[in-house]
């Protein structure tokens, strides 16, 4: 019989199935808030109304996140930011200030901490992430 998940329920604790280890799911603002082996990514809330920044198991070394994201599987978070119509997006790196973003990105021009609506799996919410300087 199917299990009905209430609106307030945490989807990750409520699904009656074998789920991959997502990590600690501790709240975070940037990768610095997470333990080694985890990165700060956005995770849909149980009611799929919000995106919450949580520490998840890194899929790859965050230092290897490419500037441009042509395949989310190459990113430590498994998530790409949207492009601006002219350039593709980057690997998702959450931030609070510009200093949280890779200084070496974009030929040393760095990246800025941009806040805008982000879509993850059909759930949209305002998210602060590193984006190119142009």
């Amino acid at each position: 019989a199917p299990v009905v998940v209430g609106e307030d329920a945490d989807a990750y604790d409520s699904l009656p199935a074998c789920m991959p280890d997502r990590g600690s799911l501790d709240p975070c603002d940037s990768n610095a808030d997470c333990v080694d082996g985890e990165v700060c990514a956005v995770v849909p809330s149980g009611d799929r109304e919000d995106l919450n920044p949580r520490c998840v198991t890194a899929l790859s070394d965050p230092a290897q996140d490419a500037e441009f994201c042509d395949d989310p599987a190459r990113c430590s978070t498994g998530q790409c930011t949207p492009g601006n119509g002219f350039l593709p997006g980057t690997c998702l790196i959450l931030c609070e200030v510009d200093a949280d973003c890779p200084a070496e990105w974009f030929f040393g021009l760095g990246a800025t901490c941009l806040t805008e609506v982000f879509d993850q799996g059909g759930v949209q919410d305002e998210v602060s992430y590193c984006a190119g300087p142009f």
Side-chain angles (χ1 to χ4, degrees), residues 36-128:
D36 283 350
E38 292 188 347
V39 290
C40 193
V42 289
V43 176
S45 60
D47 61 8
R48 301 190 56 78
E49 294 291 323
D50 304 299
L51 292 174
N52 298 317
R54 297 286 188 256
C55 294
V56 299
T57 302
L59 302 178
S60 62
D61 181 353
Q64 302 301 312
D65 283 345
E67 290 187 18
F68 293 115
C69 186
D70 55 359
D71 179 4
R74 290 181 45 205
C75 300
S76 61
T77 59
Q79 298 168 327
C80 294
T81 65
N84 63 9
F86 174 66
L87 294 170
T90 60
C91 289
L92 180 72
I93 297 177
L94 297 184
C95 55
E96 289 186 284
V97 295
D98 291 352
D100 293 333
C101 299
E104 71 276 6
W105 272 15
F106 302 103
F107 310 103
L109 295 174
T112 57
C113 190
L114 174 70
T115 301
E116 67 178 19
V117 174
F118 185 78
D119 184 297
Q120 178 62 35
V123 179
Q124 295 185 344
D125 201 358
E126 200 168 82
V127 172
S128 295

Side-chain angles (χ1 to χ4, degrees), residues 1 3-5 7 9 16 22 26 33 52 62 67 74 95 101 104 109 129:
V3 173
V4 177
V5 178
E7 285 187 21
R22 296 292 312 271
D26 288 338
D33 296 332
N52 298 317
E67 290 187 18
R74 290 181 45 205
C95 55
C101 299
E104 71 276 6
L109 295 174
Y129 62 84

Side-chain angles (χ1 to χ4, degrees), residues 10-48:
D10 184 333
Y12 295 104
D13 291 335
S14 304
L15 294 175
C18 293
M19 298 288 285
D21 180 9
R22 296 292 312 271
S24 67
L25 296 178
D26 288 338
C28 57
D29 291 310
S30 68
N31 287 350
D33 296 332
C34 302
V35 299
D36 283 350
E38 292 188 347
V39 290
C40 193
V42 289
V43 176
S45 60
D47 61 8
R48 301 190 56 78

